[in-house]
Each structure stands twice: as structure tokens, then as C-alpha cells.
């Protein structure tokens, strides 16, 4: 019989501690081993109880969630899921926490916002399960970084090649684990890329602006949360705002509130398919770490029009869901670890 996932719940609100505990305790494979009311208690209980997963409130007195996370990471291999309210402080701390090693985050239920409690519960349970799997993966992963091309395993032609057309845009899709990878990827792209980059990162409304601002401070490119009607310009990275699908035409960004795709909005497929319609084969498309299969249909459309397609490899993916689904279409040209992807995008765009 598999051992239960041992969870420590941390929140300064007694009501929230009970709500989160009740959400998790009803699962046969999850056990809430204790709760803590602040960051100091969380650090002490982490050291004593050695949980597998910690749900950690972002905004707390004395020691906030980010400060507690950094201390927990020094003493424990527990995976941390941040619980964030939709405030300016909450979103900024959350984005910093993801960069500092948090596994993922969920938006806290609040009287000030209308959220589906059942959806929050499902998201939390799913992320707790995935985070435990990720912890096991980290313990077992081999110290290697290999890359695979279409000449191995999924070959349909003797070799892959970049389209003869000049690349005119890059599209990127990511979900769980994506913020850190996207930060590293975008900050390593050259400031004179001379084409636009479009990004869908699965993230709730209110968090993508802080995410874009953090990257923008550390790159020569201009990174912004996209707005409806934005003029598409070279050397700009447009990040789809949470809660809106983003699609492109030759000149402008368009946003809409059409139904979710794969249960998410923004959806990678929406972006990829619209970009393929605008840019045809003059595209580089990249699928990064994440749950589910969003982006796989878009990859097929882009490849069928002659675009160049990249997927993150399994070893460096937090969750090998989206890259696997894209790989299994047979339409991925090259599979790379996260640290090789910026170089490959640059090579494709600049014809190096």
C-alpha cells in the first residue's frame, strides 16, 4: 500500500487552516499531519515533522510566506504550494516565491472574489499529488542533461531542419513549473531578437502583470502583460493576461473571454493556432513544463505549416504533461533541457 502524502497546512487564519485541511483530509491518499499559524511555527514544524508537502500562506505577520519558504528550503525537501490572495503584495510575493523554489500556487478563496470552491479544491488536491511526485522525481533523477532530436525515436523524415522562411515570431506555452523556466529563458534571449515573442503561462487573473514586470526588470527585451489592441512590435514579449485568451494577427493582439480550452484561459492552443494563421511557417513554437495537453493541437498546426517546434525534456520539466502530449503528436522537431532552449530559439531566429 502506498504511503499517504503528508501535508503541513500553514495560514494565519484559523478559518483558512480548517478549510484547507478539510479539502485535503477527505482524500484517501493525503494526510494533514499538522497546521501552523505563522512562518516561525511553520519552520519549526517542518524540521520536526518532515512533511512531504506544505501549503504556505503568502501574506502572514512576522515572517511572510516568501521568507518562510526560503528558510524551509534550507532544511527540508518538502514541496511548497503557496496560497495567495489577489492583492498587489500577494501577487508580487507569489511570483518571487515561484522563482525561489515554490512548486506552484493557488489563489485563496475570499469573500472579495467569486471563486468556485470546488475548482479550488480540485486544483489544490491535484497540485499536492503532483508536488509529491515531483519530490520523488528530484530524489531519483540522474545527473545528466541530454537532448533529443527528431532523428531519434519519432523520426518521420531523415532529419529535421529549420524552415527556409525567415522566422517572424516566437510562441511559447507553459503551465506548472513554467514561471521559473520562462524567466530564465526570456532573460537569456538577445535584446536584438528583432521579432515579437508571445507567451501563455497558465496563471490566474491578477498575477500575470507582476510576472511580466519581474522579467522586464532583468532583460533587454520589453516584457509586458498584453492588452487588447496592442500593436505587435519586435523585441517585445507579450504575456497573456490571466483570465483571457490571447490571439494574434499580423498587427495586433486580441483578447477575449470565450470558453476555456482544456479547462484553462488563457490557453496555449488558442495562441498557437492564431499565430500559425498569421505567420504560417515563419514561427518557432516551444512547449514547456506543465500539466495536461494544452498546446499539442497548436503544435500540430504550426508544424503542418512548416514552423519549427521545440519541447522541454522530461528530466528538466517539473511536470512532463504538456511536453509529452506535444511530443506524442510526432510534430516536435527537437527536445531540449530547459537551459538549452534559449540558445536554440536564438539559433533558429538568427539563422546561426
Amino acid at each position: 500500500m502506498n504511503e499517504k502524502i503528508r501535508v503541513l497546512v500553514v495560514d494565519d487564519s484559523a478559518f483558512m487552516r480548517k478549510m484547507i485541511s478539510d479539502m485535503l483530509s477527505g482524500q484517501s491518499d493525503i494526510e494533514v499531519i499538522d497546521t501552523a499559524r505563522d512562518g516561525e511555527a511553520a519552520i519549526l514544524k517542518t524540521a520536526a515533522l518532515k512533511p512531504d508537502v506544505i501549503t504556505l500562506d503568502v501574506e502572514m505577520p512576522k515572517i511572510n510566506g516568501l521568507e518562510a519558504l526560503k528558510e524551509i528550503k534550507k532544511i527540508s525537501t518538502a514541496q511548497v504550494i503557496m496560497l495567495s490572495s489577489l492583492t498587489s503584495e500577494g501577487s508580487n510575493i507569489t511570483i518571487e516565491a515561484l522563482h525561489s523554489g515554490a512548486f506552484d500556487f493557488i489563489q485563496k478563496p475570499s469573500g472579495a472574489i467569486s471563486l468556485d470552491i470546488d475548482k479550488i479544491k480540485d486544483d489544490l488536491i491535484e497540485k499536492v499529488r503532483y508536488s509529491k511526485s515531483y519530490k520523488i522525481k528530484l530524489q531519483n533523477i540522474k545527473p545528466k542533461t541530454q537532448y533529443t532530436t527528431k532523428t531519434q525515436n519519432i523520426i518521420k523524415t531523415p532529419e529535421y531542419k529549420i524552415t527556409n522562411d525567415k522566422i517572424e515570431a516566437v510562441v511559447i506555452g507553459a503551465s506548472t513549473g513554467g514561471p521559473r523556466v520562462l524567466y530564465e529563458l526570456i532573460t537569456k534571449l538577445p535584446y536584438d531578437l528583432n521579432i515579437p515573442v508571445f507567451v501563455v503561462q497558465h496563471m490566474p487573473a491578477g498575477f500575470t502583470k507582476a510576472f511580466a514586470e519581474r522579467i522586464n526588470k532583468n532583460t533587454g527585451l520589453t516584457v509586458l502583460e498584453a492588452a487588447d489592441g496592442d500593436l505587435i512590435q519586435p523585441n517585445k514579449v507579450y504575456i497573456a493576461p490571466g483570465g483571457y485568451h490571447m490571439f494574434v494577427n499580423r498587427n495586433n493582439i486580441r483578447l477575449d473571454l470565450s470558453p476555456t480550452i482544456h479547462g484553462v484561459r488563457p490557453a496555449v492552443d488558442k495562441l498557437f493556432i492564431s499565430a500559425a494563421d498569421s505567420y504560417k511557417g515563419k514561427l518557432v513554437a516551444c512547449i514547456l513544463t506543465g500539466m495536461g495537453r494544452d498546446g499539442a493541437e497548436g503544435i500540430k498546426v504550426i508544424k503542418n505549416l512548416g514552423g519549427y517546434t521545440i519541447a522541454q525534456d522530461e528530466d528538466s520539466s517539473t511536470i512532463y504533461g504538456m511536453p509529452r502530449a506535444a511530443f506524442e503528436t510526432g510534430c516536435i522537431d527537437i527536445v531540449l533541457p530547459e537551459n538549452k532552449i534559449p540558445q536554440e530559439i536564438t539559433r533558429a531566429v538568427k539563422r546561426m
Side-chain angles (χ1 to χ4, degrees):
M1 182 176 178
N2 292 331
E3 293 183 0
K4 289 188 176 184
I5 304 168
R6 303 170 71 254
V7 181
L8 173 66
V9 174
V10 184
D11 201 291
D12 63 335
S13 161
F15 174 76
M16 286 304 305
R17 292 197 299 272
K18 185 176 189 311
M19 177 182 283
I20 299 301
S21 296
D22 288 348
M23 286 179 175
L24 297 174
S25 295
Q27 307 306 304
S28 61
D29 59 337
I30 298 173
E31 176 188 5
V32 176
I33 57 172
D34 205 347
T35 64
R37 62 182 298 175
D38 57 44
E40 290 180 351
I43 294 165
L44 292 172
K45 291 189 176 187
T46 296
L49 300 174
K50 297 180 172 51
D52 298 310
V53 180
I54 300 168
T55 67
L56 183 60
D57 188 16
V58 165
E59 297 176 85
M60 294 184 294
K62 297 182 182 178
I63 297 178
N64 68 25
L66 176 61
E67 295 165 333
L69 170 70
K70 291 178 178 178
E71 292 304 312
I72 287 168
K73 284 294 176 182
K74 293 176 183 177
I75 62 171
S76 173
T77 59
Q79 294 303 302
V80 180
I81 299 171
M82 310 301 293
L83 271 64
S84 177
S85 59
L86 183 54
T87 64
S88 176
E89 181 184 13
S91 59
N92 283 311
I93 292 175
T94 300
I95 298 305
E96 182 66 27
L98 293 174
H99 190 73
S100 298
F103 176 79
D104 205 343
F105 78 101
I106 65 166
Q107 189 173 340
K108 290 176 66 173
S110 164
I113 52 177
S114 177
L115 285 175
D116 185 336
I117 296 299
D118 288 337
K119 172 98 168 40
I120 293 172
K121 178 180 177 180
D122 291 344
D123 286 348
L124 177 61
I125 292 167
E126 183 176 44
K127 288 175 180 180
V128 165
R129 288 172 175 154
Y130 270 116
S131 63
K132 173 63 184 299
S133 298
Y134 183 58
K135 178 185 177 183
I136 294 170
K137 172 184 168 180
L138 289 177
Q139 292 169 340
N140 296 330
I141 196 167
K142 297 175 183 177
K144 68 179 181 63
T145 308
Q146 299 292 333
Y147 69 89
T148 308
T149 73
K150 200 171 181 179
T151 57
Q152 296 169 293
N153 301 325
I154 61 167
I155 180 169
K156 286 190 175 181
T157 57
E159 60 183 11
Y160 76 89
K161 65 178 181 179
I162 299 173
T163 174
N164 290 325
D165 295 322
K166 185 179 185 298
I167 298 298
E168 294 185 354
V170 175
V171 290
I172 305 171
S175 187
T176 304
R180 180 187 58 78
V181 178
L182 279 167
Y183 176 89
E184 296 297 330
L185 192 165
I186 294 169
T187 57
K188 288 176 181 174
L189 292 176
Y191 70 92
D192 59 346
L193 198 63
N194 293 328
I195 60 171
V197 178
F198 306 100
V199 177
V200 164
Q201 163 66 52
H202 294 162
M203 193 175 280
F207 294 90
T208 40
K209 187 173 187 293
F211 178 51
E213 289 173 348
R214 188 181 192 283
I215 303 175
N216 188 58
K217 291 177 182 178
N218 296 283
T219 178
L221 299 167
T222 299
V223 183
L224 67 157
E225 183 186 55
D228 189 50
D230 274 350
L231 182 67
I232 294 172
Q233 297 177 312
N235 297 320
K236 285 193 174 183
V237 180
Y238 301 89
I239 295 180
Y244 289 86
H245 289 309
M246 178 171 77
F247 57 102
V248 303
N249 58 35
R250 275 294 184 173
N251 300 305
N252 297 94
I253 299 282
R254 304 302 304 183
L255 304 177
D256 74 24
L257 291 169
S258 56
T260 61
I261 301 173
H262 313 295
V264 296
R265 189 174 59 217
V268 179
D269 276 330
K270 186 86 168 183
L271 169 64
F272 280 19
I273 292 170
S274 70
D277 186 56
S278 291
Y279 294 101
K280 310 304 180 191
K282 301 176 182 180
L283 268 177
V284 171
C286 182
I287 290 285
L288 302 176
T289 173
M291 294 185 281
R293 57 174 298 102
D294 190 20
E297 291 303 311
I299 282 288
K300 288 197 290 187
V301 173
I302 289 170
K303 188 68 237 170
N304 288 339
L305 289 172
Y308 185 58
T309 57
I310 303 168
Q312 186 175 349
D313 73 351
E314 183 171 5
D315 279 1
S316 68
S317 293
T318 301
I319 296 179
Y320 191 57
M322 286 166 52
R324 182 194 298 276
F327 181 90
E328 289 175 348
T329 66
C331 294
I332 289 295
D333 289 312
I334 190 166
V335 176
L336 293 168
E338 61 179 74
N339 64 323
K340 299 282 188 181
I341 292 174
Q343 176 184 338
E344 184 63 15
I345 290 175
T346 303
R347 183 184 78 84
V349 171
K350 292 187 169 290
R351 323 296 288 177
M352 294 166 65

